Amino acid sequence: MQEPSKVIPMDRARAQETALAREAALGDQQAFAQLVRANEGALYRIAWAMLGSDADSCDAVQDAILRAWVSLPGLREPQWFRTWLIRILINECRQMLRRRKRTAPMPDAELGGPSGFSDEALDVRRAIRLLPEDQRMVTVLFYFDDFSVEMIARSLQMAEGTVKSRLHAARAKLKRILEVDEP
Amino acid sequence: MNTLKNTLDRADLHPSRTFQARVDGALARLPRRSGRGKAPFFRRRGPLIALACLLILAVALPVTLNRLRQSEMDKILPPGVYTAMTAGDPEPEADAEGTMSITAETEPPALEPDDVVAVDDLSARADLPQAWRNILLLGTDSRDMTKIGRSDTIIITSVNVGTGEIKFTSVMRDAVVELPRHGAQKINSATYFGGVELMMKTLNENLGMNITEFAVVNFEGLARMIDALGGIEADVTQAEMDVINRHIGEIAQFTMDQQAYLDNKAKLQLQSFGKSTLLTGIQAVTYARIRELDNDYARTDRQKAVLSGMFARVKRASLSQLMQMAASCWGQIATNVSMPDAVNLAQSALKGDGQIGSTKLPAKGTYTLEDRAGGSALWDVDYPENTQLLHAFIYGSRAP
């Protein structure tokens, strides 16, 4: 079977994001806010994939936003703002996981958000949680945020081939758990 | 269709309200950052190279006929007004003790409010071909970039945004112009009376230009750029080496204090000469400013040697060197060219083959060099004729 791959051309949205990133790097808070809000979904899902809990995700994202703002003048490639922001968030999440390990081991991460998820939603979430962390991250970026393999590779700092094999493994596992019989 | 994607979508993995509120909160509490983001701009290599080259050229190409001593300048300008701004002419001044032979830095007297010329219209011509962008480059020896005083070097830089061609027009600082409220003055005093804006306006009005952008760099910036590049190579004669070593203190004052200079004098000096001699930043700047040995043409050659040396280095420089270069000279550069504009401009400039045309104004035979009011200057400049020549030089056709 062919590995999924998407090509996101340097389209207008991307060009706009790049322009905003440049402005933000120059100190434009509104441009930065616009960029962060545009990527809110991806930030949330990555934090959730790594931390599993809504409360921790909130903390991590909050720290990541501040850190991104502070280190924005060092942004080398504004066209890759999105993947850069996600890398910062990933680092925040890793720190949080380390701290968590040092203090008390958390019980199994809550799967839902604060409240009100259907059983089905919880089932799917649980299935995603069953994946190893790297497969989980690849999955959310690919399926929920429409990241190209290249962008995932940049975000997670792994080779594109690795992204593809992780995706492949994740798909197989998810299909088995969720009993999807997609060709 | 029961695809994996559809199934996964049911996980409803969307930012919760709480999450969104936290994001908003974080965004609302961002600390203030200075409006100037140095790194992202300078880390883009292409623009950096081009901007650096433009600035380098601004200082290193001061083609001027001015051979006036400072004492003569004092006569034509209001007494006391002239300051160390024209320290551009290395004259033998080193004393026996080897202390720094630099003119004491004197602040120019503050202008009376009535003497300041406010500029609200740059008088830029609107009908010039848009393919060429004309930018004013000023070189100064002022340490404080907010006070340019009289500019040492005035160059109109024309960049063809289509082809990347670059042309430099040096305007001689002794050319006399009419300034509002101050009458006949040397053109380099325009920055003193009305800032960079008055300089742009004066050039626009006298030469039919459309200049609205400028960049200013001082000697410290240039010397630091060269140092960050690891120095440059140039062919140096023994006589030139001697002059460099005699005057190096004048440039050293821009990068270190007097004690540091005295302590390191031997190290700062050039120890050898010959083909492809490696010059440090202050050595190279001193070298580019030598004119006591021969004439302006030879000096122009030396400036071009420094330039090509820098170009050669910039082309080979590593990214970290370029970043260091950018960081080290940033404080010595002032410009109103916005970042995105600079990026565009630089990208255009990089398209070119690196060939640079240069000329100087006023052209021979279009002015009289004479002493008047006790000082020498270029009087009765035929500005309409020079406008024609300038337009022919930049646009390839005479001004309409």
Side-chain angles (χ1 to χ4, degrees):
Chain A
M1 206 201 101
Q2 248 203 328
E3 284 301 335
S5 74
K6 294 177 195 172
V7 178
I8 298 185
M10 187 70 180
D11 57 11
R12 275 183 64 190
R14 185 89 185 280
Q16 196 194 356
E17 185 172 282
T18 308
L20 280 173
R22 287 208 176 101
E23 293 300 312
L26 297 176
D28 185 338
Q29 292 202 1
Q30 287 190 340
F32 180 70
Q34 209 175 324
L35 283 167
V36 169
R37 293 213 174 87
N39 290 292
E40 206 171 49
L43 293 174
Y44 173 79
R45 286 180 277 271
I46 277 289
W48 176 84
M50 291 186 72
L51 305 170
S53 102
D54 214 69
D56 284 352
S57 301
C58 288
D59 288 346
V61 166
Q62 193 177 326
D63 291 351
I65 288 173
L66 181 63
R67 189 168 299 269
W69 172 248
V70 171
S71 41
L72 199 51
L75 174 64
R76 272 206 293 261
E77 301 165 305
Q79 70 272 32
W80 295 108
F81 173 84
R82 193 185 303 195
T83 59
W84 173 82
L85 182 60
I86 283 172
R87 280 204 304 279
I88 290 178
L89 175 64
I90 290 173
N91 285 335
E92 288 298 326
C93 292
R94 294 225 166 100
Q95 275 186 20
M96 191 160 284
L97 289 170
R98 272 199 294 275
R99 278 199 298 271
R100 204 193 261 175
K101 228 176 242 169
R102 267 208 307 275
T103 53
M106 278 273 289
D108 252 3
E110 43 172 321
L111 289 169
S115 64
F117 283 100
S118 67
D119 283 353
E120 192 181 23
L122 286 178
D123 281 346
V124 180
R125 285 177 170 226
R126 200 169 287 130
I128 299 173
R129 294 286 325 166
L130 283 172
L131 299 171
E133 186 190 84
D134 49 356
Q135 292 182 20
R136 214 152 53 209
M137 287 156 74
V138 170
T139 303
V140 294
L141 289 179
F142 187 80
Y143 283 105
F144 293 91
D145 294 302
D146 289 333
F147 271 43
S148 65
V149 169
E150 185 190 10
M151 287 179 77
I152 298 175
R154 278 176 176 268
S155 304
L156 306 183
Q157 290 183 301
M158 46 173 78
E160 290 188 26
T162 318
V163 173
K164 287 181 188 170
S165 67
R166 296 281 188 281
L167 258 180
H168 187 76
R171 283 163 70 92
K173 199 161 182 180
L174 284 171
K175 278 191 219 165
R176 205 169 57 240
I177 305 170
L178 296 168
E179 292 164 356
V180 176
D181 41 0
E182 189 182 63
Chain B
M1 205 170 70
N2 194 22
T3 63
L4 183 58
K5 175 143 180 64
N6 290 345
T7 311
L8 288 175
D9 276 346
R10 289 184 212 131
D12 215 4
L13 272 177
H14 300 298
S16 64
R17 284 266 171 80
T18 332
F19 183 88
Q20 288 172 331
R22 291 288 287 275
V23 168
D24 287 345
L27 289 173
R29 285 192 304 274
L30 293 176
R32 281 207 168 276
R33 227 183 41 214
S34 77
R36 211 156 239 195
K38 305 166 196 178
F41 172 68
F42 280 113
R43 283 182 191 182
R44 285 196 290 275
R45 189 183 170 114
L48 166 62
I49 295 170
L51 184 73
C53 293
L54 292 180
L55 291 166
I56 288 157
L57 289 160
V59 176
L61 258 188
V63 185
T64 160
L65 289 181
N66 173 33
R67 284 157 190 273
L68 296 175
R69 296 285 191 84
Q70 176 147 355
S71 56
E72 290 165 331
M73 294 291 290
D74 285 339
K75 292 179 201 154
I76 188 167
L77 295 163
V81 163
Y82 193 73
T83 67
M85 286 305 165
T86 49
D89 310 328
E91 300 292 347
E93 281 161 11
D95 56 37
E97 286 83 36
T99 49
M100 271 197 279
S101 57
I102 33 183
T103 335
E105 227 185 321
T106 47
E107 283 288 313
L111 283 173
E112 294 296 320
D114 279 354
D115 290 337
V116 177
V117 179
V119 175
D120 39 28
D121 175 20
L122 295 176
S123 309
R125 257 177 80 158
D127 58 344
L128 296 178
Q130 294 295 309
W132 288 92
R133 269 175 76 178
N134 299 307
I135 298 164
L136 173 65
L137 296 181
L138 293 177
T140 173
D141 62 359
S142 173
R143 279 208 184 96
D144 180 352
M145 294 306 281
T146 61
K147 292 182 197 141
I148 297 162
R150 287 194 170 74
S151 35
D152 205 28
T153 304
I154 306 159
I155 295 180
I156 301 169
T157 308
S158 309
V159 180
N160 187 312
V161 293
T163 63
E165 273 177 281
I166 300 176
K167 293 179 182 176
F168 288 97
T169 306
S170 302
V171 179
M172 282 179 266
R173 63 184 183 198
D174 297 326
V176 173
V177 290
E178 281 288 323
L179 293 181
R181 271 193 247 162
H182 299 280
Q185 294 285 343
K186 291 189 178 184
I187 190 164
N188 72 333
S189 53
T191 43
Y192 175 62
F193 292 118
V196 185
E197 287 79 10
L198 184 59
M199 178 66 82
M200 293 192 283
K201 184 184 176 75
T202 306
L203 291 169
N204 287 341
E205 287 177 351
N206 287 291
L207 296 168
M209 280 280 100
N210 58 355
I211 303 164
T212 57
E213 296 168 310
F214 67 88
V216 190
V217 66
N218 65 13
F219 293 133
E220 181 181 0
L222 182 65
R224 286 184 182 211
M225 277 191 237
I226 294 173
D227 281 336
L229 289 170
I232 56 147
E233 284 173 6
D235 299 342
V236 181
T237 66
Q238 184 165 10
E240 286 169 336
M241 180 179 82
D242 292 343
V243 178
I244 290 173
N245 288 340
R246 208 156 58 235
H247 295 297
I248 201 159
E250 294 160 24
I251 302 300
Q253 66 160 328
F254 289 100
T255 55
M256 63 191 74
D257 62 32
Q258 181 149 356
Q259 195 54 50
Y261 168 70
L262 292 174
D263 291 348
N264 294 292
K265 200 173 167 194
K267 269 188 259 169
L268 294 171
Q269 293 200 334
L270 188 57
Q271 306 298 340
S272 63
F273 60 95
K275 278 214 165 293
S276 304
T277 304
L278 186 66
L279 300 177
T280 64
I282 53 173
Q283 289 166 355
V285 175
T286 315
Y287 171 78
R289 298 172 77 229
I290 297 176
R291 88 168 144 207
E292 68 188 65
L293 288 173
D294 28 48
N295 55 33
D296 257 342
Y297 293 101
R299 177 156 100 145
T300 309
D301 287 342
R302 282 189 280 270
Q303 288 159 351
K304 283 190 174 153
V306 169
L307 280 183
S308 34
M310 291 191 75
F311 270 102
R313 287 279 171 162
V314 165
K315 276 185 192 157
R316 280 189 287 131
S318 70
L319 192 55
S320 65
Q321 271 182 315
L322 292 173
M323 280 162 54
Q324 191 195 338
M325 172 168 124
S328 61
C329 64
W330 184 256
Q332 281 75 47
I333 295 169
T335 180
N336 71 339
V337 180
S338 75
M339 284 300 168
D341 259 6
V343 172
N344 289 340
L345 190 66
Q347 280 166 346
S348 311
L350 282 176
K351 278 187 280 188
D353 54 5
Q355 290 295 309
I356 290 163
S358 66
T359 188
K360 51 191 175 188
L361 292 182
K364 267 184 191 161
T366 64
Y367 61 89
T368 48
L369 172 63
E370 61 180 80
D371 294 349
R372 224 187 265 182
S376 273
L378 310 181
W379 293 93
D380 302 327
V381 178
D382 184 345
Y383 284 108
E385 177 59 20
N386 279 291
T387 302
Q388 295 285 333
L389 293 168
L390 176 60
H391 285 238
F393 172 65
I394 299 175
Y395 302 107
S397 60
R398 293 170 77 84

